[in-house]
Amino acid sequence: MSDFFRRTGLLPGSAYVVASNAPAATIRQARILKARYGNLIQICDGVADQTEINAAITAANGKDVELSGGTFLTNGSITVNIANTRLHGQGRFSTTISMTALTNAHI
């Protein structure tokens, strides 16, 4: 199991979002887990990553959403509108959310 999934543990109902530039082992593990857990596991492609993050927020339905290390490139809003939902990164020097266009997007 990759460090990301080993460190965070697979918590029931929690969702996981893997950056497109996360370590290869993390991406491989996410692909395997996605087959079992469906929308609770999201793998970003580096284009409009807010789509995958928002899908994970919806799938988590009030549970935590873990973002892997890496850079998430967004060009729109990330919306946390479900009570008790929290986004967690892997540390300020590991997880980055970056806007790729000048928009009025909100996080």
Side-chain angles (χ1 to χ4, degrees):
M1 188 167 282
S2 75
D3 285 345
F4 170 60
F5 290 107
R6 186 178 307 114
R7 188 172 41 255
T8 59
L10 284 176
L11 303 173
S14 292
Y16 301 85
V17 186
V18 177
S20 62
N21 65 339
T26 299
I27 294 171
R28 277 193 304 275
Q29 187 70 41
R31 287 186 180 129
I32 292 166
L33 292 171
K34 185 161 180 64
R36 180 172 180 183
Y37 294 102
N39 286 335
L40 289 172
I41 307 291
Q42 295 290 326
I43 305 164
C44 294
D45 58 8
V47 177
D49 291 339
Q50 76 278 356
T51 302
E52 290 86 357
I53 295 170
N54 286 327
I57 291 166
T58 300
N61 195 28
K63 303 281 186 172
D64 292 347
V65 176
E66 293 282 344
L67 303 176
S68 74
T71 301
F72 295 89
L73 302 175
T74 65
N75 61 7
S77 296
I78 295 172
T79 306
V80 182
N81 59 358
I82 300 171
N84 301 317
T85 301
R86 295 180 295 177
L87 294 179
H88 296 275
Q90 303 306 301
R92 67 188 271 199
F93 298 111
S94 183
T95 302
T96 303
I97 298 175
S98 177
M99 299 298 294
T100 60
L102 296 175
T103 67
N104 290 326
H106 303 281
I107 296 177

